[in-house]
Amino acid sequence: MDSIFEAGGHGGNPAPVKPIPTIVPTPTEYETLHDTGHKTLWVVFIIMLISSAVFAFRSWNIPVSRRLYHVITTLITITAAISYFAMASGDATSFSCHSVEDHHGKHIPSTHHDVCRQVFWARYVDWSLTTPLLLLDLSLLAGISGAHTILAIVADVIMVLAGLFAAYGKEHTAQKWGWYAIGCVAYLFVIWHLGVNGRRAVAARGDKTTKLFGSLALFTLILWTIYPIIWGIADGARKVSVDTEILSYAILDVLAKPVFGTWLLIAHRNIPETNVELGGYWAHGLTSGEGRIRIGEDDDAA
Amino acid sequence: MDSIFEAGGHGGNPAPVKPIPTIVPTPTEYETLHDTGHKTLWVVFIIMLISSAVFAFRSWNIPVSRRLYHVITTLITITAAISYFAMASGDATSFSCHSVEDHHGKHIPSTHHDVCRQVFWARYVDWSLTTPLLLLDLSLLAGISGAHTILAIVADVIMVLAGLFAAYGKEHTAQKWGWYAIGCVAYLFVIWHLGVNGRRAVAARGDKTTKLFGSLALFTLILWTIYPIIWGIADGARKVSVDTEILSYAILDVLAKPVFGTWLLIAHRNIPETNVELGGYWAHGLTSGEGRIRIGEDDDAA
Amino acid sequence: MDSIFEAGGHGGNPAPVKPIPTIVPTPTEYETLHDTGHKTLWVVFIIMLISSAVFAFRSWNIPVSRRLYHVITTLITITAAISYFAMASGDATSFSCHSVEDHHGKHIPSTHHDVCRQVFWARYVDWSLTTPLLLLDLSLLAGISGAHTILAIVADVIMVLAGLFAAYGKEHTAQKWGWYAIGCVAYLFVIWHLGVNGRRAVAARGDKTTKLFGSLALFTLILWTIYPIIWGIADGARKVSVDTEILSYAILDVLAKPVFGTWLLIAHRNIPETNVELGGYWAHGLTSGEGRIRIGEDDDAA
């Protein structure tokens, strides 16, 4: 997990040798972000910041007991805003280097040079916090049980961490594509937990909620499936530039967070059956009224 | 876990040049802790350890259902003790380096040298755990709702992490003072959540609790406002030595943790209205009595 | 946040000196894993993976409300599987170096060389997640109160982190054996919390549960006491090879996780008194039925 830069010093008096076919060693190549990528990061930071403010203000007139979706959705965009600020300001990034062979033709020995690609690890910190919150939004909407929600979130965190380890994995070892495979299996668990349990649970909530959950879950499924494909092309196989990678993730992040959140909160307002009313500690704090606390009783009685 | 900078050696046979005005390159300056700072760290470790023991023993005769404040307050000082042990024993620290220009007068080109300041990142780990617990103490005292407590704690964690990133940020980029600004905005959210919601919530708990909450919140507000000022002078502008920085934080930490805790626990004992009685899992565990669990029912009935 | 190693170059034209007793400087010694250790890591990965699958399938026919032990036990082996995959694929490891003096006899100055031992920090990440879950299993079985469970888990996490810091601590400082001492004290707290409170709490659950808890707690106590002994011999005093260390931890991990889990789940099925039935959010999600949620009421009524 550490970046190790070994800048070797060169000096001394090499002994004279007979002329050999001159091979200029290829210097280390750096694949970094350029102007487009940099501007994209700042733009997405602004979008996330504005979304957070809008979501927070929308919750203003809603009683605390009904703000659960608003709180979760606002936390998602705030986390993304901070992550994008970190990336845009040049933090939270390091290089993952691979050795590449250079062929110079017959009779001439091959040489090696390093290709180092900039990996923004802030993304993975972001995702390991925001994707559980997105799953929580969907689970609450469908009425999925706590046990299944916890398992889906654990699988989801494993998926994100596997992606992080794969991004820094050494080429030609189990590290890179082994972690990628673990991430994909974990993703199947997430789909299974949300898809199978979600459809069963949401059926009890009426047609409107079922339809909303179906649309949002499908939207999320499509987006989340594009992420690992981009990862495979960009971080994995390194076929596209860092700027293209930033741009692709930026579009996905905007769709998966502010657009998803807006859709959820507007639909939620229009479908009363999606209302989750939380009493107890969430809405009223620990009441010490008679020197005795009742958690989870009907919030009128508390 | 530490950043290790090893200044490379230089050698070789420079070609002879005509005499130029000799400029001895300034070596890298290190701003580190000295004897006073080192002793201070050990002393605060001892203070935190003793406070933890005292708080733990004070809870001995109190029924588990009323130990919530004691548990939180003890965890605060234990965390601080471990953090101070790490710093005193030389762990959890690394250098943050800035380049400084040296002017040598007219006609002579300027040179650069690095100034590296020791940053104790253990502080930020400590604060990211203890400040949420301090806010929890205050929120429970005022009876602030869970929703607002969660938002205050999230803003607080953002504040601490922003401080950490600012401390390692590069000079003359958005990193250093950008993070500092984010931290300050997050701090305003914390104040707003606790101040506005706290005053409204605590009013229902009677005059004595209102007065106690008012005093403790003001005490915390003053201390927490001094922290970023010291940060700005010491870590930010680097106007004072590392030892002075350690000493300043040490005084604040002792006031904000053991003194705060002692005040809270003594006042809590004398004002019965502050009593929070937790039944259910907190006090009794999961009861399997009739093969059926009732969470959150009245603890007599459970 | 990155470790930067700059290996300085050496060169130049040393001035001729009179012949001195030639001392070939000892190069840095590396203590790393070899074939046996590598295979062991892969084998334990497979064992953990199969155990996770078995535990997950065993929970299939059990209603969600009674799956608490199954969920916890499955999470333990999944976490261990991922940790072993990381170690086996060469991730999550770095070197901890000590300087060693070489004596060359009278009149000849001593030289120094570094001895670097491979430390697998993935273990500590694993333990900081799985040991709390193991304690949770035992606490739930005994019916220990939430307050005591939280304190036991905090002491346990301190114990694991102290072990991590000790493993990377510098020789001859408070870092290495100071952290080791903190870890041992924290371990005594864990034993005290589980032993004293556990025995008191479990007595109310009948003879069979008491006997099961007694056996499992003793089993855990013996295993957990062997861990720090191996740590002291292997990571601490460096008396045994990295392969022997891997093998010892592998045996302990298999006993403490899959064997412990199998024992717990089989005994749990045969002793109905150990049944913990969780209703509410765990089993049913947030119900929005009448636009009003009742957490923690009897799950028939919810």
Side-chain angles (χ1 to χ4, degrees), chain A residues 144-169:
Chain A
I144 294 175
S145 71
H148 284 116
T149 306
I150 290 171
L151 290 174
I153 286 175
V154 169
D156 172 72
V157 170
I158 290 174
M159 177 182 82
V160 172
L161 293 182
L164 171 64
F165 299 155
Y168 283 103

Side-chain angles (χ1 to χ4, degrees), chain C:
Chain C
M1 218 162 270
D2 293 337
S3 292
I4 298 172
F5 296 88
E6 297 200 354
H10 298 283
N13 256 350
V17 289
K18 275 189 236 171
I20 49 163
T22 309
I23 294 166
V24 182
T26 320
T28 301
E29 274 175 51
Y30 288 97
E31 302 178 356
T32 60
L33 91 169
H34 294 289
D35 202 47
T36 316
H38 197 228
K39 275 181 190 152
T40 307
L41 292 173
W42 279 116
V43 168
V44 179
F45 164 62
I46 301 293
I47 293 175
M48 293 295 177
L49 205 64
I50 293 172
S51 313
S52 307
V54 170
F55 294 158
F57 279 114
R58 278 180 61 87
S59 70
W60 201 269
N61 290 319
I62 294 169
V64 173
S65 58
R66 294 192 182 175
R67 271 189 209 167
L68 187 52
Y69 292 118
H70 296 80
V71 167
I72 295 172
T73 310
T74 310
L75 290 183
I76 291 170
T77 47
I78 285 178
T79 309
I82 289 171
S83 154
Y84 268 92
F85 179 82
M87 293 192 282
S89 69
D91 255 334
T93 162
S94 67
F95 285 94
S96 167
C97 296
H98 293 171
S99 184
V100 170
E101 204 168 9
D102 304 304
H103 297 283
H104 304 283
K106 235 170 110 189
H107 300 307
I108 308 176
S110 291
T111 56
H112 288 81
H113 74 284
D114 274 356
V115 178
C116 294
R117 188 183 179 93
Q118 194 172 19
V119 174
F120 292 89
W121 52 259
R123 294 192 186 293
Y124 299 93
V125 178
D126 171 350
W127 293 337
S128 69
L129 294 168
T130 54
T131 55
L133 291 172
L134 284 164
L135 289 179
L136 193 57
D137 257 347
L138 285 172
S139 301
L140 291 171
L141 185 67
I144 294 175
S145 72
H148 284 116
T149 306
I150 289 171
L151 290 175
I153 286 175
V154 169
D156 172 72
V157 170
I158 290 174
M159 177 182 82
V160 172
L161 292 182
L164 172 64
F165 299 154
Y168 283 103
K170 290 192 204 82
E171 200 78 44
H172 309 303
T173 68
Q175 284 180 15
K176 202 183 184 77
W177 298 102
W179 281 120
Y180 189 75
I182 289 177
C184 290
V185 171
Y187 181 43
L188 294 179
F189 270 93
V190 174
I191 295 174
W192 180 77
H193 270 293
L194 247 85
V196 176
N197 294 303
R199 275 176 56 186
R200 203 161 40 201
V202 81
R205 300 211 155 179
D207 281 353
K208 276 187 186 166
T209 313
T210 305
K211 214 175 142 192
L212 175 63
F213 174 75
S215 316
L216 279 171
L218 185 67
F219 181 66
T220 305
L221 179 70
I222 293 170
L223 289 178
W224 287 30
T225 307
I226 301 176
Y227 275 103
I229 294 173
I230 291 181
W231 192 98
I233 298 170
D235 289 283
R238 301 191 170 182
K239 298 289 183 207
V240 299
S241 74
V242 173
D243 274 17
T244 311
E245 180 190 330
I246 289 174
L247 207 65
S248 315
Y249 282 139
I251 294 167
L252 288 174
D253 280 345
V254 169
L255 289 173
K257 283 158 193 165
V259 172
F260 174 92
T262 309
W263 184 354
L264 174 67
L265 292 186
I266 290 177
H268 166 57
R269 196 180 47 187
N270 297 332
I271 308 177
E273 296 96 310
T274 62
N275 257 344
V276 164
E277 186 136 359
L278 280 169
Y281 177 63
W282 171 269
H284 305 293
L286 289 187
T287 43
S288 65
E290 322 123 47
R292 178 161 299 280
I293 169 145
R294 300 152 193 273
I295 304 182
E297 303 223 330
D298 200 298
D299 51 342
D300 293 345

Side-chain angles (χ1 to χ4, degrees), chain B residues 134-174:
Chain B
L134 283 164
L135 289 179
L136 192 57
D137 258 346
L138 286 173
S139 300
L140 291 170
L141 185 66
I144 294 175
S145 72
H148 284 116
T149 307
I150 289 171
L151 290 175
I153 286 175
V154 169
D156 171 73
V157 170
I158 290 174
M159 176 183 82
V160 172
L161 292 182
L164 171 63
F165 299 154
Y168 283 103
K170 290 192 204 82
E171 200 78 44
H172 309 303
T173 68

